[in-house]
Amino acid sequence: MRLTELFTKTSKTVPADETSKNAQLLIRAGYVHKEMAGVYAYLPLGLKVLENIKQIVREEMNTVGGQEIIMTSLQRKELWERTDRWDDKKVDVWFKSELQNGTPVGFGWSHEEPITDMMKNYISSYRDLPVRVYQFQTKLRNELRAKSGIMRGREFVMKDLYSYSRTEEEHQKIYDAVTEAYLKVFERVGLGDVTYVTFASGGAFTQFSHEFQTVTDAGEDIIYVSKEKNLAVNDEVYTDEVLRQLGLEKDKLEKVKAAEVGNIFSFGGAKSEQLGLYFADEDGTEKPVVLGSYGIGITRLMGVIAEHFSDEKGLVWPESVAPAKVYLIRLGDDNHVVKAADDLYSQLTSAGVEVLYDDRDDVRAGAKFADADLMGIPYRVVISNKTIADQTYELKARNKDTAQLVGEQELHRKLGLTKR
RNA sequence: CGGGGAGUGGCGCAGUUUGGUAGCGCACCGCGUUUGGGACGCGGGGGUCGCAGGUUCAAAUCCUGUCUCCCCGACCA
């Protein structure tokens, strides 16, 4: 992408009413636009990051046998009444409206009910199981108070996977597999070191659910981390009894703030019974399908990544999610500089390397460097009269302090260009 | 939902106390100089001062109502 064609621009100031670091940086760098409190639009660069995160999640979900679908935002009242979750007193984040004929509808804040109800059409025998389906959906939640930038919005993108199993044992296998897949996701987006499987309150069916908590000051949760065992306990279930059960020693735990980037839990057969999802087992008996639910807040994850990977100059995206791998700067508008930069741009692009090409003529070097830093693109390549005279390229990693002059071979190697 | 704060060109702000020609910085447009860490000079465009009503010769400024946003707290299957 050439910067002269990108409609967004960077800004030195942020809206005064935006206090969270992730939103400040993302707005300044032109990744997102704030439409209203807790509601953000994703601009070209922001969308790119979002899609990169989604693709990583998608790959991991496919690996554990997930099939991707997309449900609807409009939901039926009747469905939620069956699980007693339509009432505003039971679920206080509902957005509701009605059809022209007066039929009430809800805007999906979760999709457990509709998906499970839908699966009744497709699951009737043990031969149909297990099934895992997932989607990326915009959830709408009428939060009392939105905060923390894109980390807690009224409208946000979530990946939710649902598993349908014959037995508890089968369910447990899937549950464990998804747990591993989640850890892989957080590893791949660069948060592996600071993300912990966390024991949290489980609800009706199981004692615990498992959250994936990323340590960050921007988080809203308090967790107690055991580095030794590589797990954590949410403050909400932090009791002596629980610690004993989990074999944790109180004085070896570290209390930290964290953001919940994922949550998985088991429903057993309870919800299936409420919604009438049964299957005929091998012996012909009818049994409720064992249900599991697994979520990753995609936009929240993006916010957490932005918070975690940033410095005083701006964002510092991990390569796996960055909107581009290289920020290419050309200094000056001498013909041979322009040509050299154009050439490298098309060379990298055709090799499949995403490049943000700062081809602006009317912007001085300092501003280009500042923008490269703010946008947080992993590698910066500078082409100038100097580098051309030396037959080198100036290469600097966003997370390193110094640049180096490298030859063409070296550049290609560092940027991971595929040899042909 | 309780407490606190704020709404003035796209963004950041001053002006409100004491009513009297709407201003500054960034961004934008033009010209010139500049050109490796957010350049400078000159000229220019853009604002129903959140909205509605009221007081007044006159309202960004005073009064009443209302909407929105932010912060802290509560809430977050």
Side-chain angles (χ1 to χ4, degrees), chain A residues 170-198:
Chain A
E170 187 172 78
H171 165 75
Q172 194 57 45
K173 272 190 195 161
I174 294 174
Y175 194 88
D176 293 343
V178 174
T179 303
E180 288 307 311
Y182 271 33
L183 289 173
K184 215 174 264 175
V185 165
F186 300 121
E187 186 70 44
R188 287 180 66 182
V189 301
L191 296 174
D193 295 345
V194 286
T195 303
Y196 294 90
V197 174
T198 304

Side-chain angles (χ1 to χ4, degrees), chain A residues 6 105 111 113 148 155-156 185 216 223 245 305 335 362 399:
Chain A
L6 183 67
V105 290
H111 287 78
E113 270 76 351
S148 307
E155 179 176 329
F156 59 94
V185 165
T216 168
I223 62 169
Q245 277 182 47
I305 296 169
N335 284 340
D362 53 347
N399 59 8

Side-chain angles (χ1 to χ4, degrees), chain A residues 3 20 34 114 259 279 285 407 417:
Chain A
L3 234 56
S20 76
K34 185 182 190 177
F279 71 101
T285 57
L417 243 65

Side-chain angles (χ1 to χ4, degrees), chain A residues 71-76 80 97 99 105-108 111 114 137 140:
Chain A
M71 296 298 289
T72 62
S73 287
L74 292 178
Q75 301 183 341
R76 288 172 291 147
W80 289 90
S97 184
L99 304 180
V105 290
F107 296 104
H111 287 78
Q137 252 285 353
L140 299 166

Side-chain angles (χ1 to χ4, degrees), chain A residues 269-366:
Chain A
K271 192 172 289 287
S272 296
E273 284 174 18
Q274 285 176 310
L275 292 166
L277 177 62
Y278 294 93
F279 71 101
D281 209 344
E282 290 173 77
D283 59 5
T285 57
E286 194 160 77
K287 295 176 180 169
V289 174
V290 179
L291 176 62
S293 174
Y294 318 80
I296 291 180
I298 301 292
T299 42
R300 172 180 288 182
L301 182 55
M302 176 170 161
V304 172
I305 296 169
E307 291 270 344
H308 187 78
F309 295 103
S310 56
D311 59 22
E312 66 290 340
K313 288 178 177 171
L315 298 157
V316 189
W317 295 112
E319 231 179 283
S320 58
V321 302
K325 185 171 189 172
V326 175
Y327 192 100
L328 174 61
I329 293 179
R330 74 168 190 233
L331 295 183
D333 54 3
D334 291 347
N335 284 340
H336 60 291
V337 171
V338 172
K339 179 165 190 321
D342 283 356
D343 286 351
L344 182 61
Y345 176 59
S346 53
Q347 191 182 11
L348 291 173
T349 302
S350 57
V353 176
E354 289 273 4
V355 180
L356 259 188
Y357 178 17
D358 197 338
D359 58 340
R360 295 174 295 179
D361 289 328
D362 53 347
V363 175
R364 292 158 61 103

Side-chain angles (χ1 to χ4, degrees), chain A residues 40-88:
Chain A
Y40 294 83
Y42 289 77
L43 306 177
L45 297 177
L47 181 61
K48 202 102 192 190
V49 175
L50 204 57
E51 291 300 325
N52 288 343
I53 295 171
K54 281 168 70 176
Q55 185 54 30
I56 288 172
V57 173
R58 179 177 284 125
E59 287 168 14
E60 296 304 331
M61 293 304 98
N62 290 346
T63 297
V64 294
Q67 299 178 56
E68 186 170 355
I69 61 170
I70 184 158
M71 296 298 289
T72 62
S73 287
L74 292 178
Q75 301 183 341
R76 288 172 291 147
K77 167 189 175 189
E78 168 263 343
L79 207 50
W80 289 90
E81 281 180 331
R82 262 189 266 161
T83 52
D84 195 25
R85 296 213 286 176
W86 175 258
D87 195 323
D88 290 338

